[in-house]
Amino acid sequence: MRIVRVLLPALMVAGCVSPGERAAAPPAASVAPPAAWRTPLTGTAPVTADWWTAFGDPALTALVTRALANNVDIAVAAARVEEARAAEALSRAQLLPQIGGQLPETQGQTLSPLGTPSRAIGAQPGVTASFDLDLFGRLRLASRAARAQLLTTEAARDTVRLATASTAASGYITLRALDQRLAIARATLAARADALRIARRRYETGYSSRLEYRQAQAEYAATEQLVPQAELAIARQENALSLLAGDTPGAIARGQPLDRLRVPAIPVGLPADLLRRRPDIYQAEQALVAADLSLDSQRAAFLPNLLLTGSAGVVLSTALKNPVGIFSLGASILAPLFDGGRLAAQADAATARRDQAAFAYRRTALTAFREVDDALAGAQRTAQQAAALDAQVAATRGAVGNASNRYRAGYSSYIEQLDAQRSLLAAELSLVQASADRLTSYVALYQAMGGGWTGAERR
């Protein structure tokens, strides 16, 4: 099953794209995640808020929810959004008049008509104002670039959220696979203990050689080391998931076993438009918008700029009978005449950054198609592998039963039973890994699709 290869017009065009409107950022970490964990994009369907519930495990849902609420990386990304929002507000403030007040106080001496010196105290309160007319849109372009940069930062935050949810889901699947590997190791160890007991009795009664007894001892020890190995892997996986959820290392609640997790159904003919919901694609798009607007702003810096200034106030002094009103109006035209090539170099640098953003945009789109195809192929091939391994496990269990009966009846040596048991252990562990890989492929597909799909989006 492969995604319909309908290239999005916006995905492959290395040009300027108008920034879309996005909602305000959600609260910072350490709070419950919002219902819509992704900021909605203009012209796209809403992202499924709880795609991880498709696996049918309440413990998995609780883990992902806690990770989205308390993850430290999400909190850092949210703080970056607030910084970008403040920068965007600062750029918008440059478009408004700047008004200030002053209240200077003066002291000095004056001479009366009779030549008698006297001390005078005065004050000159007033208001000053300045306004940049921005004739060629330099400030307006800079403000729009800051807006696009804000949208880029919001998309980067959403990328972190999606990655956190996917990592939590795949980490939980890995944990349940490790649990099943531990259960298999313990069950196999119990079988090895039974075989060791039989080999000891047969050796002590003289029915078998010391070689078979030593082989049984060695096989028991080889299986015994699998138990602490699996327990160590489980402890490390639990600590990793606790860190992801913003907690101190500790146990992780379990829900359904690995073989009881539901496998989501993939609809046929998924449209390529779903990829526009990926936050990394939107991030690359807005980064290109910001770079393009920054280039236009640098080009506008070559043109003259008109600045209006004015002030008004009164002069209050003990040397004057009545206050004196003063005001001033002025305008200044600033134009670059010779700057040693600074503006040209800045424009060249902005052009290079715009080109880099365009190529990064194209690379992100191509990577998205690859990740979707990889996930679809992984879901399909791992399902086939798991089916084959399931048949192998069933056949190997029958072989172990036959070999055990032959060994107890004295028709075969212990090595025949030992080979069958080894084959069964390897097949069971491979089946667990294939089942985990299959479920992880679905998590990767959800992530590659930008958060899943709904029935209304099928073709």
Side-chain angles (χ1 to χ4, degrees):
M1 183 186 303
R2 301 177 72 84
I3 189 171
V4 179
R5 296 217 174 246
V6 180
L7 296 181
L8 303 177
L11 288 180
M12 294 303 170
V13 177
C16 178
V17 184
S18 299
E21 295 296 327
R22 288 164 71 87
S30 300
V31 296
W37 63 274
R38 269 283 313 283
T39 307
L41 310 184
T42 303
T44 61
V47 174
T48 306
D50 53 354
W51 55 265
W52 45 87
T53 61
F55 295 97
D57 192 337
L60 170 60
T61 300
L63 176 63
V64 175
T65 303
R66 193 166 77 251
L68 288 176
N70 302 322
N71 182 261
V72 177
D73 293 333
I74 295 179
V76 173
R80 292 196 181 104
V81 170
E82 295 304 320
E83 180 184 5
R85 182 172 286 111
E88 192 260 345
L90 178 62
S91 66
R92 283 189 284 105
Q94 302 296 323
L95 299 173
L96 303 177
Q98 307 296 315
I99 301 176
Q102 60 181 359
L103 185 61
E105 182 180 351
T106 59
Q107 295 185 7
Q109 290 184 343
T110 61
L111 295 176
S112 64
L114 300 177
T116 304
S118 63
R119 180 173 296 276
I121 300 176
Q124 187 175 333
V127 177
T128 61
S130 63
F131 180 58
D132 193 333
L133 292 183
D134 193 23
L135 296 178
F136 300 98
R138 175 179 54 86
L139 297 179
R140 290 191 296 273
L141 289 169
S143 177
R144 291 175 56 192
R147 173 63 180 172
Q149 189 61 44
L150 172 60
L151 299 181
T152 301
T153 311
E154 288 181 342
R157 177 202 58 201
D158 292 341
T159 301
V160 175
R161 285 178 176 171
L162 178 58
T164 300
S166 302
T167 303
S170 59
Y172 179 83
I173 292 172
T174 301
L175 179 62
R176 298 306 283 146
L178 291 173
D179 290 338
Q180 191 162 341
R181 289 175 68 91
L182 178 60
I184 291 173
R186 287 173 174 171
T188 305
L189 184 62
R192 295 288 192 275
D194 185 63
L196 179 60
R197 179 181 54 82
I198 295 175
R200 181 187 298 112
R201 188 175 66 247
R202 289 167 64 93
Y203 166 68
E204 292 173 350
T205 58
Y207 192 78
S208 64
S209 65
R210 186 181 183 88
L211 175 61
E212 289 187 357
Y213 177 53
R214 290 303 187 187
Q215 287 176 332
Q217 284 182 320
E219 196 63 25
Y220 179 84
T223 307
E224 189 178 22
Q225 63 88 24
L226 295 178
V227 175
Q229 181 185 19
E231 291 175 340
L232 175 60
I234 288 173
R236 288 175 174 174
Q237 187 66 19
E238 285 183 323
N239 292 340
L241 290 175
S242 297
L243 177 61
L244 186 69
D247 298 330
T248 56
I252 298 297
R254 270 46 163 206
Q256 299 290 343
L258 184 67
D259 54 359
R260 296 287 299 275
L261 292 177
R262 289 203 302 259
V263 177
I266 303 177
V268 179
L270 292 174
D273 291 346
L274 285 176
L275 295 185
R276 288 216 66 209
R277 302 189 318 182
R278 285 176 56 120
D280 59 340
I281 289 182
Y282 190 79
Q283 178 184 355
E285 175 184 321
Q286 294 306 316
L288 176 58
V289 171
D292 203 31
L293 292 173
S294 297
L295 174 59
D296 291 339
S297 179
Q298 289 293 336
R299 289 172 176 171
F302 285 94
L303 304 176
N305 192 34
L306 179 60
L307 180 65
L308 299 180
T309 59
S311 63
V314 295
V315 177
L316 304 175
S317 176
T318 57
L320 300 175
K321 291 183 178 181
N322 298 314
V324 177
I326 59 174
F327 70 92
S328 66
L329 294 175
S332 59
I333 298 179
L334 303 177
L337 297 179
F338 178 76
D339 61 358
R342 293 180 179 85
L343 292 178
Q346 292 174 358
D348 292 342
T351 302
R353 287 192 294 268
R354 193 274 310 272
D355 294 342
Q356 294 173 37
F359 286 117
Y361 189 21
R362 178 180 177 85
R363 180 185 59 196
T364 302
L366 293 175
T367 301
F369 281 110
R370 176 199 168 183
E371 290 178 352
V372 171
D373 277 348
D374 287 348
L376 286 172
Q380 181 180 10
R381 302 309 177 191
T382 52
Q384 297 172 351
Q385 181 185 9
L389 285 171
D390 189 61
Q392 181 185 359
V393 168
T396 308
R397 283 175 181 165
V400 169
N402 293 336
S404 299
N405 293 335
R406 287 171 57 85
Y407 172 66
R408 291 189 178 94
Y411 291 109
S412 63
S413 63
Y414 177 69
I415 194 65
E416 182 177 302
Q417 178 187 2
L418 188 59
D419 287 340
Q421 289 176 341
R422 288 172 177 172
S423 299
L424 176 59
L425 176 61
E428 287 178 336
L429 294 179
S430 297
L431 177 59
V432 170
Q433 187 61 47
S435 300
D437 291 343
R438 184 187 183 191
L439 293 170
T440 305
S441 296
Y442 281 90
V443 175
L445 182 59
Y446 276 118
Q447 184 178 10
M449 285 292 186
W453 52 86
T454 63
E457 294 160 347
R458 304 177 190 176
R459 283 187 179 177

